Structure formats: structure tokens, C-alpha cells
Amino acid sequence: TADGLLGGSTPERRLEIMSDSATGAFGVVTVGLMVVAQVVCVAIVYSSRDWWALGAAPVAGRLAASLCVFTRTPARAEGLGASAARRPTAIGVALALLALAVTLGGGAFDVLIGRAGAVSWTITHAALALFALAVAHVTCRGLTRPIGGYTGDTLGATIVYVETATLFVAAAWAVAQGGWPL
């Protein structure tokens, strides 16, 4: 995705670059930066013992890709992105909502049973979920606009960007709370 979006000057050329299986300089640098960012953020979140974000990041990333499919059209008629263009079934929507509810629901349960600190914990995690949804919208829009729709590459990039952003905010929160010895 980085090779196509940063290396092409027209939507057609960008799609052509993204169709090539070879990875260029933009792609290598982007993958390297994302791996380093995710490893550092996971280490911080893990050491803070607020492991919720380790489960929330993949859920947020996959929901971001789903939102992209729901709100955009495929950039081309063939390919992985076009195969995802089918509208979800009621069962699929119910499962996605269940995954979100399970991810967010632990804090609500703690509030109901009166666990100390549960309200601030739940508000923090709800804020992180809203942040992830905002990043999903901006990322999807930013990746699909230059090529006129989404592809399998842009859906995958959306997942990685939203996961990384979610982990970054969770890590920053952990540092702010003293969860990482600097």
C-alpha cells in the first residue's frame, strides 16, 4: 500500500504498483516502522499489566477494515478487496457486535459489581475504543481516496494502522500512569 500510494502519480499507476508482489523502498520502511512501533507499544502495555489493549487492538483493526468495506467501494472489479464487497449477513453483524461488546464489556461488569477504580478504567477503555473508531475512519478515507476505493492491500493497511494507533495510545496511557519505568 505504501509503495502504491507514495510511488504512483495517478490512481491507475498506484493500483498497478499495488498489484505487483514486489515490495519497494516505501513498503519496506513502512513495515519496519510499524513492526518497531508495535513491539515497543506491546512491551509497554504488557509491563503495565493493563492487557486489555492487547485484545482490543486486533478487534479494532478488524472492525476498521469492516467499516471501510461498509462505507467505501472497491477500487477495481477483481481482487481480494472486491471479494470483500459483499454485504454482511445478520449473523456476521451480530458476531462483530458481540466481539466489540466482549472487548468493552469487562469494565462494565466491574462497574456493576462495584470493583474499585472500575469507572475510570471503563471510561479510559471506552475512550480508547472511540479513538480507534476515529482512526479507522480517517485511515480508511486517507488510503482509499488516492485510488478511488479500497483494495485488499488498503484493508490490510487499515488493520495495521488502527492496531498500531490503538497500541500507541494504550502505551502512552500506561506511561502517563507510571506503568513503564523510564
Side-chain angles (χ1 to χ4, degrees), residues 15 72-75 143-151 154:
L15 288 170
R72 303 281 186 235
T73 58
L143 293 177
T144 58
R145 182 177 281 170
I147 57 174
Y150 64 84
T151 65
T154 59

Side-chain angles (χ1 to χ4, degrees), residues 63-123:
L63 286 175
S66 297
L67 288 173
C68 198
V69 169
F70 296 150
T71 60
R72 303 281 186 235
T73 58
R76 41 182 173 226
E78 74 284 342
L80 183 59
S83 70
R86 297 185 312 255
R87 291 292 174 203
T89 64
I91 292 172
V93 171
L95 289 175
L97 291 173
L98 179 63
L100 181 61
V102 167
T103 303
L104 294 174
F109 178 75
D110 286 343
V111 170
L112 289 174
I113 64 171
R115 183 168 291 159
V119 172
S120 65
W121 183 87
T122 302
I123 291 170

